[in-house]
Amino acid sequence: MAVPQARQWGVTPAISSALPTDTELAANDALIAELKRQNNFESVDQTEKRKTTLQSIQKSTVEFVRQVSEKKGLSQSAIDAAGGKIFTFGSYRLGVYGSDIDTLVLVPKHVTRDDFFEDFPPTLQAMAPPGAIEEMTPVPDAFVPIIKLKFSGISIDLIFSRLAVPSVPLNLDLKDKGLLRGVEERDLRSLNGTRVTDEILELVPQQKTFRHALRAIKLWAQRRAIYANVMGFPGGVAWAMLVARVCQLYPQATGSVIIGKFFRIIGKWSWPQPVLLKPIEDGPLQVYNGDRFHLMPIITPAYPSMCATHNITMSTKKIIIRELERGGDIVDKIFTGQLQWKDLFNRHTFFTQGYKYYLSIIAASRSKEAQLVWSGLVESKVRLLVSQLETQGSIEIAHPFNKGFDRVHHCSNEDEVEAVSNGELQYQAKNIKTESTDLANDPKHGAAANGDAENMVVPNGHSEVQVNGEEKHVIYTTTYYVGIELAQDGTKKLDISYQTKHFKEICTEWAQYNSEMNSLNIVHTRNYDLPDDVFELGEARPIRPKKKVVKKVDGGAKKRSFDASELENATENSHSESISLEGETHRARVGVHGPTTVAQDVTKQEISNISRAV
């Protein structure tokens, strides 16, 4: 009797289908224990609370569709059949810990986005338990319509989509790509999140193993500050697809083994060869067909397939690969008992040890509402500045930090306002804590950062506040940091005035830019001048180095090649360049980043297997 052939997961056969060893099982137990210590699992009570919340939103969705159907004069039979259904996606649907629940509200064709913003909030308020809805922020201007709310302490992101069908029953399955016929582009984008998430779960051999590995990789990427699609790093879906691909190559492995293989396989991947979880499906809609500008293409499995990592630049690619090599070295030592899993999740050193020189990109506005959109637009363009800096031959890496820092300032006059717009923190409000943009998680900022600023309405008006009896101007700033690493054979001088000027022009070409309301400046910041609020408690901040005394040598001596310390002295004195923005001149001096650690190579057999997998 013929032995049934094992299922092939993915586009290539598995590298190994070996069952886990006792050592690997023990390592997996240790991994799960560490993830629990890192608060990466939620309690049973919290899980049940989320389920109850979603059930309430489902009931509100059906009632909302019914009310709209009645208002539009549909027959009773059509009203009864209209339905309405919610779908979760993102981290919650994948089964990993996340602060928000991404939720799709799917409705039939006669319900519009205007109906969603007009009728859904009051319906939800009326049907929720008293006091359950603490916050609700609609963003109707976004390309993908969203309502952000806090329901019984749980953050929910509701996005809207409608199908070109008369009813959306509870048993509707979005895997049927025939449902995409006649769907508008904005609705298709909303549908894609759920369809991609569901496909990922169906394409992994063991969902429990996948979830354990993904929890760890997501935590690692966040701690290492390489988790942000807008800034040129993989986002949550892209990291999930990479983990899923490794799971396909090792279908019997534990989560701990998947993590070790993940770092080596993805770190040695033959980019720009795309990562695929399944063959790309053809159809009438446009699908991914290769793009020479995509440096690390990771392709979504659901039709129509798209590249989830088109924002990656040459610099962020180098940073990702360095971090993968570092992660692989750490996991190797974990398996030999030299390190523990907690060492994999150590915080990044972007500010503490990463670079000597930074560019501070300061977006400022005179009102909070204006700043939410303006800072989001600037954030959406930072990767373009990074790409421009990469064209400067002396720059090896332009490393954008993956989030901005929101600050509030109280100014007495226009001179102080000008100083704040150029990075001065002397007038920062003492009673308002600096907040990173990811923690603020404002839906309007997020929509603008994801490319929707052109469609958003920005209110006019300045903010004023009374401080100790004196009226002050309130200035809102968001600062983004880019670390600069020079090529080892670079010259002393570095002129990036063209790149920064071009970046400013791109941002200020925004139709709603108002020079009376918004400003944008780029200033050079030394590592020892970084503000305190970018460091966490207990982190050692860089110290200003003492100047070296250079003894004079005979004129006939040979010229020495300058090293990092010599460039340090040069940039302190005459060898500095100018960045001209808005008629202002800022001194910009950049230096050499320290050496990087090269990870150990994988074995010859692994390299052979990787080539076969690709």
Side-chain angles (χ1 to χ4, degrees), residues 444-466:
K444 293 183 179 179
H445 172 91
N450 283 293
D452 288 339
E454 298 296 338
N455 306 313
M456 301 178 74
V457 177
V458 181
N460 291 318
H462 296 186
S463 297
E464 311 289 340
V465 68
Q466 288 286 329

PDB file of all heavy atoms in Angstrom, residues 444-466:
ATOM      1  N   LYS A 444      -6.416  60.314  13.637  1.00  0.00           N
ATOM      2  CA  LYS A 444      -6.209  61.328  12.594  1.00  0.00           C
ATOM      3  C   LYS A 444      -4.742  61.385  12.185  1.00  0.00           C
ATOM      4  O   LYS A 444      -4.424  61.476  11.000  1.00  0.00           O
ATOM      5  CB  LYS A 444      -6.694  62.691  13.087  1.00  0.00           C
ATOM      6  CG  LYS A 444      -8.197  62.760  13.275  1.00  0.00           C
ATOM      7  CD  LYS A 444      -8.661  64.149  13.695  1.00  0.00           C
ATOM      8  CE  LYS A 444     -10.184  64.177  13.855  1.00  0.00           C
ATOM      9  NZ  LYS A 444     -10.675  65.511  14.293  1.00  0.00           N
ATOM     10  N   HIS A 445      -3.867  61.329  13.173  1.00  0.00           N
ATOM     11  CA  HIS A 445      -2.441  61.270  12.859  1.00  0.00           C
ATOM     12  C   HIS A 445      -2.133  60.014  12.052  1.00  0.00           C
ATOM     13  O   HIS A 445      -1.411  60.065  11.045  1.00  0.00           O
ATOM     14  CB  HIS A 445      -1.622  61.277  14.149  1.00  0.00           C
ATOM     15  CG  HIS A 445      -0.157  61.023  13.936  1.00  0.00           C
ATOM     16  ND1 HIS A 445       0.751  62.038  13.723  1.00  0.00           N
ATOM     17  CD2 HIS A 445       0.555  59.868  13.867  1.00  0.00           C
ATOM     18  CE1 HIS A 445       1.950  61.527  13.547  1.00  0.00           C
ATOM     19  NE2 HIS A 445       1.862  60.199  13.626  1.00  0.00           N
ATOM     20  N   GLY A 446      -2.690  58.871  12.486  1.00  0.00           N
ATOM     21  CA  GLY A 446      -2.442  57.620  11.785  1.00  0.00           C
ATOM     22  C   GLY A 446      -2.927  57.640  10.350  1.00  0.00           C
ATOM     23  O   GLY A 446      -2.247  57.147   9.448  1.00  0.00           O
ATOM     24  N   ALA A 447      -4.106  58.230  10.133  1.00  0.00           N
ATOM     25  CA  ALA A 447      -4.645  58.311   8.769  1.00  0.00           C
ATOM     26  C   ALA A 447      -3.751  59.173   7.887  1.00  0.00           C
ATOM     27  O   ALA A 447      -3.461  58.826   6.736  1.00  0.00           O
ATOM     28  CB  ALA A 447      -6.061  58.873   8.799  1.00  0.00           C
ATOM     29  N   ALA A 448      -3.291  60.308   8.433  1.00  0.00           N
ATOM     30  CA  ALA A 448      -2.407  61.189   7.661  1.00  0.00           C
ATOM     31  C   ALA A 448      -1.077  60.504   7.376  1.00  0.00           C
ATOM     32  O   ALA A 448      -0.527  60.610   6.275  1.00  0.00           O
ATOM     33  CB  ALA A 448      -2.190  62.497   8.411  1.00  0.00           C
ATOM     34  N   ALA A 449      -0.536  59.775   8.364  1.00  0.00           N
ATOM     35  CA  ALA A 449       0.734  59.078   8.185  1.00  0.00           C
ATOM     36  C   ALA A 449       0.630  57.988   7.131  1.00  0.00           C
ATOM     37  O   ALA A 449       1.617  57.652   6.474  1.00  0.00           O
ATOM     38  CB  ALA A 449       1.200  58.487   9.511  1.00  0.00           C
ATOM     39  N   ASN A 450      -0.559  57.449   6.949  1.00  0.00           N
ATOM     40  CA  ASN A 450      -0.762  56.397   5.948  1.00  0.00           C
ATOM     41  C   ASN A 450      -1.217  56.943   4.602  1.00  0.00           C
ATOM     42  O   ASN A 450      -1.726  56.202   3.763  1.00  0.00           O
ATOM     43  CB  ASN A 450      -1.766  55.372   6.475  1.00  0.00           C
ATOM     44  CG  ASN A 450      -1.147  54.432   7.479  1.00  0.00           C
ATOM     45  OD1 ASN A 450      -0.280  53.631   7.147  1.00  0.00           O
ATOM     46  ND2 ASN A 450      -1.565  54.547   8.736  1.00  0.00           N
ATOM     47  N   GLY A 451      -1.044  58.256   4.401  1.00  0.00           N
ATOM     48  CA  GLY A 451      -1.246  58.838   3.077  1.00  0.00           C
ATOM     49  C   GLY A 451      -2.575  59.507   2.841  1.00  0.00           C
ATOM     50  O   GLY A 451      -2.900  59.848   1.702  1.00  0.00           O
ATOM     51  N   ASP A 452      -3.350  59.741   3.911  1.00  0.00           N
ATOM     52  CA  ASP A 452      -4.687  60.306   3.728  1.00  0.00           C
ATOM     53  C   ASP A 452      -4.768  61.809   4.005  1.00  0.00           C
ATOM     54  O   ASP A 452      -5.862  62.369   4.048  1.00  0.00           O
ATOM     55  CB  ASP A 452      -5.692  59.592   4.636  1.00  0.00           C
ATOM     56  CG  ASP A 452      -5.989  58.182   4.151  1.00  0.00           C
ATOM     57  OD1 ASP A 452      -5.752  57.913   2.966  1.00  0.00           O
ATOM     58  OD2 ASP A 452      -6.444  57.358   4.963  1.00  0.00           O
ATOM     59  N   ALA A 453      -3.634  62.468   4.205  1.00  0.00           N
ATOM     60  CA  ALA A 453      -3.651  63.890   4.580  1.00  0.00           C
ATOM     61  C   ALA A 453      -4.321  64.760   3.526  1.00  0.00           C
ATOM     62  O   ALA A 453      -4.953  65.775   3.853  1.00  0.00           O
ATOM     63  CB  ALA A 453      -2.230  64.384   4.840  1.00  0.00           C
ATOM     64  N   GLU A 454      -4.192  64.365   2.260  1.00  0.00           N
ATOM     65  CA  GLU A 454      -4.767  65.182   1.182  1.00  0.00           C
ATOM     66  C   GLU A 454      -6.281  65.303   1.310  1.00  0.00           C
ATOM     67  O   GLU A 454      -6.871  66.293   0.883  1.00  0.00           O
ATOM     68  CB  GLU A 454      -4.413  64.570  -0.181  1.00  0.00           C
ATOM     69  CG  GLU A 454      -2.917  64.512  -0.480  1.00  0.00           C
ATOM     70  CD  GLU A 454      -2.273  65.877  -0.576  1.00  0.00           C
ATOM     71  OE1 GLU A 454      -3.001  66.865  -0.830  1.00  0.00           O
ATOM     72  OE2 GLU A 454      -1.048  65.973  -0.379  1.00  0.00           O
ATOM     73  N   ASN A 455      -6.917  64.301   1.896  1.00  0.00           N
ATOM     74  CA  ASN A 455      -8.378  64.290   1.975  1.00  0.00           C
ATOM     75  C   ASN A 455      -8.917  64.856   3.280  1.00  0.00           C
ATOM     76  O   ASN A 455     -10.130  64.970   3.452  1.00  0.00           O
ATOM     77  CB  ASN A 455      -8.886  62.839   1.832  1.00  0.00           C
ATOM     78  CG  ASN A 455      -8.372  62.157   0.581  1.00  0.00           C
ATOM     79  OD1 ASN A 455      -8.424  62.724  -0.491  1.00  0.00           O
ATOM     80  ND2 ASN A 455      -7.869  60.946   0.724  1.00  0.00           N
ATOM     81  N   MET A 456      -8.019  65.211   4.198  1.00  0.00           N
ATOM     82  CA  MET A 456      -8.465  65.565   5.540  1.00  0.00           C
ATOM     83  C   MET A 456      -8.620  67.077   5.708  1.00  0.00           C
ATOM     84  O   MET A 456      -7.829  67.857   5.172  1.00  0.00           O
ATOM     85  CB  MET A 456      -7.485  65.013   6.579  1.00  0.00           C
ATOM     86  CG  MET A 456      -7.348  63.499   6.501  1.00  0.00           C
ATOM     87  SD  MET A 456      -6.168  62.805   7.675  1.00  0.00           S
ATOM     88  CE  MET A 456      -7.098  62.971   9.191  1.00  0.00           C
ATOM     89  N   VAL A 457      -9.638  67.458   6.450  1.00  0.00           N
ATOM     90  CA  VAL A 457      -9.922  68.869   6.711  1.00  0.00           C
ATOM     91  C   VAL A 457      -9.153  69.298   7.952  1.00  0.00           C
ATOM     92  O   VAL A 457      -9.222  68.651   9.003  1.00  0.00           O
ATOM     93  CB  VAL A 457     -11.433  69.100   6.932  1.00  0.00           C
ATOM     94  CG1 VAL A 457     -11.704  70.553   7.284  1.00  0.00           C
ATOM     95  CG2 VAL A 457     -12.207  68.681   5.685  1.00  0.00           C
ATOM     96  N   VAL A 458      -8.408  70.408   7.827  1.00  0.00           N
ATOM     97  CA  VAL A 458      -7.607  70.911   8.941  1.00  0.00           C
ATOM     98  C   VAL A 458      -8.207  72.222   9.424  1.00  0.00           C
ATOM     99  O   VAL A 458      -8.268  73.195   8.672  1.00  0.00           O
ATOM    100  CB  VAL A 458      -6.140  71.133   8.525  1.00  0.00           C
ATOM    101  CG1 VAL A 458      -5.330  71.629   9.715  1.00  0.00           C
ATOM    102  CG2 VAL A 458      -5.548  69.850   7.968  1.00  0.00           C
ATOM    103  N   PRO A 459      -8.659  72.295  10.672  1.00  0.00           N
ATOM    104  CA  PRO A 459      -9.257  73.535  11.171  1.00  0.00           C
ATOM    105  C   PRO A 459      -8.209  74.618  11.389  1.00  0.00           C
ATOM    106  O   PRO A 459      -7.057  74.333  11.711  1.00  0.00           O
ATOM    107  CB  PRO A 459      -9.885  73.110  12.508  1.00  0.00           C
ATOM    108  CG  PRO A 459      -9.072  71.928  12.946  1.00  0.00           C
ATOM    109  CD  PRO A 459      -8.660  71.226  11.681  1.00  0.00           C
ATOM    110  N   ASN A 460      -8.606  75.870  11.211  1.00  0.00           N
ATOM    111  CA  ASN A 460      -7.720  77.000  11.484  1.00  0.00           C
ATOM    112  C   ASN A 460      -7.866  77.413  12.948  1.00  0.00           C
ATOM    113  O   ASN A 460      -8.744  76.949  13.662  1.00  0.00           O
ATOM    114  CB  ASN A 460      -8.056  78.177  10.572  1.00  0.00           C
ATOM    115  CG  ASN A 460      -7.693  77.893   9.129  1.00  0.00           C
ATOM    116  OD1 ASN A 460      -6.636  77.326   8.854  1.00  0.00           O
ATOM    117  ND2 ASN A 460      -8.562  78.273   8.203  1.00  0.00           N
ATOM    118  N   GLY A 461      -7.023  78.325  13.367  1.00  0.00           N
ATOM    119  CA  GLY A 461      -7.113  78.821  14.737  1.00  0.00           C
ATOM    120  C   GLY A 461      -5.894  78.457  15.546  1.00  0.00           C
ATOM    121  O   GLY A 461      -5.310  77.383  15.366  1.00  0.00           O
ATOM    122  N   HIS A 462      -5.473  79.371  16.432  1.00  0.00           N
ATOM    123  CA  HIS A 462      -4.310  79.162  17.276  1.00  0.00           C
ATOM    124  C   HIS A 462      -4.761  78.770  18.679  1.00  0.00           C
ATOM    125  O   HIS A 462      -5.865  79.091  19.114  1.00  0.00           O
ATOM    126  CB  HIS A 462      -3.462  80.431  17.349  1.00  0.00           C
ATOM    127  CG  HIS A 462      -2.873  80.815  16.032  1.00  0.00           C
ATOM    128  ND1 HIS A 462      -1.977  81.858  15.893  1.00  0.00           N
ATOM    129  CD2 HIS A 462      -3.039  80.315  14.787  1.00  0.00           C
ATOM    130  CE1 HIS A 462      -1.630  81.971  14.620  1.00  0.00           C
ATOM    131  NE2 HIS A 462      -2.267  81.048  13.935  1.00  0.00           N
ATOM    132  N   SER A 463      -3.889  78.094  19.410  1.00  0.00           N
ATOM    133  CA  SER A 463      -4.192  77.701  20.785  1.00  0.00           C
ATOM    134  C   SER A 463      -3.472  78.626  21.757  1.00  0.00           C
ATOM    135  O   SER A 463      -2.291  78.939  21.574  1.00  0.00           O
ATOM    136  CB  SER A 463      -3.745  76.254  21.026  1.00  0.00           C
ATOM    137  OG  SER A 463      -4.466  75.368  20.209  1.00  0.00           O
ATOM    138  N   GLU A 464      -4.190  79.067  22.765  1.00  0.00           N
ATOM    139  CA  GLU A 464      -3.617  79.907  23.817  1.00  0.00           C
ATOM    140  C   GLU A 464      -3.956  79.276  25.166  1.00  0.00           C
ATOM    141  O   GLU A 464      -4.911  78.515  25.308  1.00  0.00           O
ATOM    142  CB  GLU A 464      -4.189  81.328  23.765  1.00  0.00           C
ATOM    143  CG  GLU A 464      -4.159  81.977  22.376  1.00  0.00           C
ATOM    144  CD  GLU A 464      -2.762  82.350  21.912  1.00  0.00           C
ATOM    145  OE1 GLU A 464      -1.883  82.459  22.786  1.00  0.00           O
ATOM    146  OE2 GLU A 464      -2.555  82.515  20.696  1.00  0.00           O
ATOM    147  N   VAL A 465      -3.137  79.581  26.178  1.00  0.00           N
ATOM    148  CA  VAL A 465      -3.377  79.050  27.509  1.00  0.00           C
ATOM    149  C   VAL A 465      -2.877  80.054  28.543  1.00  0.00           C
ATOM    150  O   VAL A 465      -1.939  80.824  28.276  1.00  0.00           O
ATOM    151  CB  VAL A 465      -2.662  77.685  27.684  1.00  0.00           C
ATOM    152  CG1 VAL A 465      -1.148  77.854  27.682  1.00  0.00           C
ATOM    153  CG2 VAL A 465      -3.122  76.974  28.934  1.00  0.00           C
ATOM    154  N   GLN A 466      -3.508  80.067  29.709  1.00  0.00           N
ATOM    155  CA  GLN A 466      -3.069  80.920  30.802  1.00  0.00           C
ATOM    156  C   GLN A 466      -2.088  80.139  31.682  1.00  0.00           C
ATOM    157  O   GLN A 466      -2.405  79.049  32.170  1.00  0.00           O
ATOM    158  CB  GLN A 466      -4.272  81.355  31.642  1.00  0.00           C
ATOM    159  CG  GLN A 466      -5.169  82.378  30.960  1.00  0.00           C
ATOM    160  CD  GLN A 466      -4.552  83.768  30.923  1.00  0.00           C
ATOM    161  OE1 GLN A 466      -3.791  84.150  31.813  1.00  0.00           O
ATOM    162  NE2 GLN A 466      -4.883  84.524  29.880  1.00  0.00           N
TER     163      GLN A 466
END
